[in-house]
Amino acid sequence: MKTPLIHFDNTYARLPERFYESITPSPVKLPQLVRFNFKLAQELGVNAEGVASNDLAVIFSGNQILPGSEPIAQAYAGHQFGHFVPQLGDGRAILLGEVIASDGKRRDIQLKGSGRTRFSRQGDGRAALGPVMREYILSEAMHGLGIPTTRSLAIVTTGEEVMRETSLPGAVLTRIAASHIRVGTFEYFAARQDKEALKILADYVMARHYPEVQSLPQPYYEMLKAILRAKAELVVHWMRVGFIHGVMNTDNTSVSGETIDYGPCAFMDEYDPNTVFSSIDRHGRYAFGNQAVIAAENMGSLASCLLFLLHEDPAQALKMAQEAINHFEAVFQNAWSQAACQKIGLLHADSDDLSLILDYLELMQKNNADHTLAFHYLSAAVGEKKVPPNLHAVFSQSQGLEPWLTRWNERVLKQGRSAQEITRAMNAVNPAFIPRNHRVEQAIQAAVQKNDFNLMNRLIDVLARPYDDQPQESDLMQPPKPAERVTQTFCGT
Ligand code: AMP
Ligand code: MG
């Protein structure tokens, strides 16, 4: 007997029916595979090696449903830009099922752009190629950077057009996630005062993502704290690489701690905490420097759904929720200082080190320095008396840079590590490559206009090793020239 392509092992479909809608993907006209992640497939136990590309296209477009798959669209709600929407749900995504990956952990396999569902409201349930490519490139880059994220398994073009502002080629993305349970999934049931469902969901999340808290005296409280911790650490990761999620609504906030829902997200070039790319974020709610505040707010929304599970006395429950939020802030501050220290080559922060870091950030902001290169080139300045030319070039004016470097050199060399060791440690946390927005946009344009996927493929391959020097790819390290700048991104839904 031929081994099955995917060994499904579904659990979400076993939950009560009000958690989802059973629905099959709507077939597409002419599925064509443009990218497949064989390495990820192997980790998932998906036996794709040697399978014809046409067959993969048929499967990962949703045109063929494999045995064991139980396609569902998940119900969720969410706070969008601060306003509560009681019903969102998978409007253009369909969960095919779950697998147990080689690390022993459960993963969702989901199609995005696979047709309408009960939750589609006005949308067409489809996705355009551009946003699908953006999600593939950025999520895989995120993984390369060592940051928890959903992954991308496949891009299949559909041979159909989708109507947005203009007519665009359609595509389906296969997304892999630890789960697709969001803060908004809890809010969906909380809005319906469905405590039974909330408890079932909380127990499910605990068993799937935080089994270590199950045996503790206050498991729900401990789970809440664990989710908050994961979220705080995630935002610190985003900040250390200059990532701006762009739509940190509670429906786009995973309870597993993974980065999820790559819409108008982008990496910033010049360091400025006020940076916003998303065209719909007019007031800068989700600006780079605001992400921790918003994450805390989202965690507050989650805590309020769980109150009745925290303690039977409402006042006591509220107190515990507040403690958990305080815990978020403490974890965030601590993780942020730690990450910032590592970026400038320090093992741990002394009392003066925070000002050393903040002064460097201020210099960067004042001199329009590229966030990535300002840290990447700094690693070569350890022990140097003069400002290295490549670092010099990152700052519009080098005034203030030399005294800062002198101060910094004195400090880092006091830790007892050699210059070489410091450089190596810094290079392990300061990437050379990020998915620069202008490159992502160029890759999308080439694909959409000329069916040319070369730049996309090159970006994905280079970004799989973002900390490595790849001299032949050095053009991809560079920030955009003024004419190449892309300052806006769109949801693309
Ligand atoms: P997002 O902004 O991508 O997180 O989407 C917010 C909500 O809109 C979710 O409920 C999506 O399922 C839904 N949605 C987004 N795009 C579409 C689409 N093309 N068709 C149907 N629903 C969509
Ligand atoms: Mg979303």
Side-chain angles (χ1 to χ4, degrees), residues 138-151 233-243 257-259 262 267 431 467:
L138 268 76
S139 66
E140 286 304 300
M142 211 65 144
H143 175 72
L145 287 162
I147 299 176
T149 177
T150 61
R151 304 284 307 273
E233 284 165 4
L234 182 65
V235 175
V236 168
H237 270 301
W238 292 354
M239 298 192 73
R240 79 174 174 82
V241 296
F243 177 74
E258 286 183 339
T259 310
Y262 290 80
F267 283 70
Y467 300 100

Side-chain angles (χ1 to χ4, degrees), residues 4 23 28 30 42 58 90 118 130 138 188 198-200 224 229 256 262 276 304 328 336 355 372-373 435 444 467 484:
I23 175 137
V28 304
L30 186 67
Q42 200 175 29
V58 167
D90 289 332
R118 173 150 79 78
L138 268 76
Y188 178 85
L198 276 171
K199 184 169 182 312
I200 293 171
L224 178 62
R229 225 170 11 249
S256 76
Y262 290 80
V276 173
S304 69
F328 174 92
W336 187 86
S355 75
T372 305
L373 297 184
I444 291 171
Y467 300 100
E484 292 175 326

Side-chain angles (χ1 to χ4, degrees), residues 8-158:
F8 284 105
D9 179 44
N10 307 329
T11 56
Y12 207 84
R14 302 281 86 75
L15 296 178
E17 274 177 21
R18 59 193 189 281
F19 280 63
Y20 53 81
E21 177 199 20
S22 292
I23 175 137
T24 44
S26 314
V28 304
K29 201 161 113 195
L30 186 67
Q32 279 187 310
L33 189 72
V34 298
R35 179 88 196 187
F36 191 80
N37 194 337
F38 283 95
K39 190 157 175 272
L40 177 60
Q42 200 175 29
E43 288 166 28
L44 296 170
V46 171
N47 303 304
E49 217 63 61
V51 178
S53 133
N54 266 345
D55 292 340
L56 292 177
V58 167
I59 291 160
F60 294 103
S61 58
N63 278 17
Q64 185 194 340
I65 296 302
L66 294 175
S69 167
E70 294 169 276
I72 55 173
Q74 292 173 311
Y76 55 84
H79 276 88
Q80 297 187 309
F81 288 88
H83 302 285
F84 185 62
V85 184
Q87 179 162 312
L88 290 164
D90 289 332
R92 55 163 170 175
I94 292 177
L95 179 67
L96 293 179
E98 301 150 30
V99 294
I100 307 291
S102 55
D103 61 3
K105 298 208 175 112
R106 184 173 296 280
R107 297 286 197 295
D108 278 1
I109 302 184
Q110 191 203 56
L111 301 181
K112 206 171 164 182
S114 49
R116 289 181 57 84
T117 73
R118 173 150 79 78
F119 306 107
S120 294
R121 298 187 295 168
Q122 303 94 329
D124 60 3
R126 293 299 187 194
L129 176 59
V132 164
M133 288 172 63
R134 177 176 288 274
E135 172 147 1
Y136 195 117
I137 297 166
L138 268 76
S139 66
E140 286 304 300
M142 211 65 144
H143 175 72
L145 287 162
I147 299 176
T149 177
T150 61
R151 304 284 307 273
S152 294
L153 182 67
I155 297 178
V156 176
T157 50
T158 59

Side-chain angles (χ1 to χ4, degrees), residues 306-322:
L306 296 176
L307 283 175
F308 78 102
L309 292 171
L310 296 182
H311 204 283
E312 57 201 22
D313 171 11
Q316 191 60 28
L318 208 58
K319 200 168 148 243
M320 291 167 81
Q322 189 54 53

Side-chain angles (χ1 to χ4, degrees), residues 101 170 179 386 390 407 489:
S179 84
K386 278 207 134 66
N390 56 7
R407 201 173 126 212
T489 52

